[in-house]
Amino acid sequence: MMENHKILPIKDINKEIFSILGMDITVFEFIDYAEKDIFTIKKVINSWENMDDVLILKEIGLPKRKNKYIFILNDDLYFQKKILKINEGFISNYVENYFFENGVCFFNGDVFFILIDDKKVIQFNNDGYVIHYDTPLKLIEKGMDKYLKSID
């Protein structure tokens, strides 16, 4: 049985992520080019920079699902080429302790929640928008061109 969370190298889970996203994880660098029919802006969290991480997490309003694992990618982890796989019941505790263990806020830029079982991605972006994406992700032509050049 897996503990409540693991930090994994992105390269080790890219195949699993690819099966959900339809592309590898670098697609998040081009998410601003997503086709309009695959996403919905759910809310804007104003003044999020003045809020603590646990309150931001609560405001995002992740769906309540029983004992499921999700992948989470924030800017800090992405820079390290790592991703968090966590049991949803432990997210709040993990986020609460993140600053003390890592020296940066958990919500310090874009954060992606990949809900494998629901085939959804929830993004909290650095402007405070909470955006829900259906998968597989689809990019408009300009975004697809940029994505394909990045993986060459």
Side-chain angles (χ1 to χ4, degrees), residues 91-117:
I91 293 173
S92 184
N93 188 44
Y94 183 86
V95 167
E96 183 175 14
N97 293 311
Y98 194 85
F99 181 82
F100 302 108
E101 294 178 12
N102 298 283
V104 295
C105 293
F106 186 82
F107 292 100
N108 186 20
D110 292 354
V111 180
F112 294 93
F113 300 88
I114 305 165
L115 290 74
I116 305 248
D117 300 324

Side-chain angles (χ1 to χ4, degrees), residues 3 9 12 17 19 21 29 37 40-41 51 53 59 79 85 91 102 105 111 113 126 146 152:
E3 63 267 16
D12 291 355
I17 294 295
S19 70
L21 301 180
E29 293 178 29
D37 65 337
T40 306
I41 297 172
M51 299 168 70
D53 285 338
E59 285 290 318
F79 179 74
K85 183 176 184 179
I91 293 173
N102 298 283
C105 293
V111 180
F113 300 88
N126 61 0
K146 289 178 180 260
D152 282 341

Side-chain angles (χ1 to χ4, degrees), residues 81-144:
K81 299 189 180 338
K82 300 196 183 272
I83 193 166
L84 170 67
K85 183 176 184 179
I86 190 166
N87 181 302
E88 292 178 357
F90 296 93
I91 293 173
S92 184
N93 188 44
Y94 183 86
V95 167
E96 183 175 14
N97 293 311
Y98 194 85
F99 181 82
F100 302 108
E101 294 178 12
N102 298 283
V104 295
C105 293
F106 186 82
F107 292 100
N108 186 20
D110 292 354
V111 180
F112 294 93
F113 300 88
I114 305 165
L115 290 74
I116 305 248
D117 300 324
D118 294 347
K119 295 184 169 61
K120 289 215 174 286
V121 173
I122 298 173
Q123 176 191 19
F124 169 80
N125 79 11
N126 61 0
D127 291 321
Y129 286 85
V130 178
I131 306 168
H132 290 215
Y133 297 87
D134 294 323
T135 62
L137 297 175
K138 295 181 278 181
L139 302 177
I140 62 173
E141 187 176 342
K142 182 177 181 180
M144 214 42 213

Side-chain angles (χ1 to χ4, degrees), residues 19-32:
S19 70
I20 302 302
L21 301 180
M23 299 178 213
D24 74 12
I25 207 144
T26 60
V27 69
F28 291 139
E29 293 178 29
F30 309 101
I31 201 72
D32 292 343

Side-chain angles (χ1 to χ4, degrees), residues 5-52:
H5 76 276
K6 281 188 177 182
I7 303 292
L8 303 165
I10 288 174
K11 65 179 177 59
D12 291 355
I13 56 86
N14 231 346
K15 282 186 184 176
E16 185 175 358
I17 294 295
F18 190 95
S19 70
I20 302 302
L21 301 180
M23 299 178 213
D24 74 12
I25 207 144
T26 60
V27 69
F28 291 139
E29 293 178 29
F30 309 101
I31 201 72
D32 292 343
Y33 297 103
E35 289 187 3
K36 290 180 184 176
D37 65 337
I38 68 156
F39 71 90
T40 306
I41 297 172
K42 292 295 187 176
K43 68 167 43 173
V44 180
I45 302 173
N46 294 311
S47 302
W48 67 270
E49 301 92 341
N50 300 321
M51 299 168 70
D52 74 27

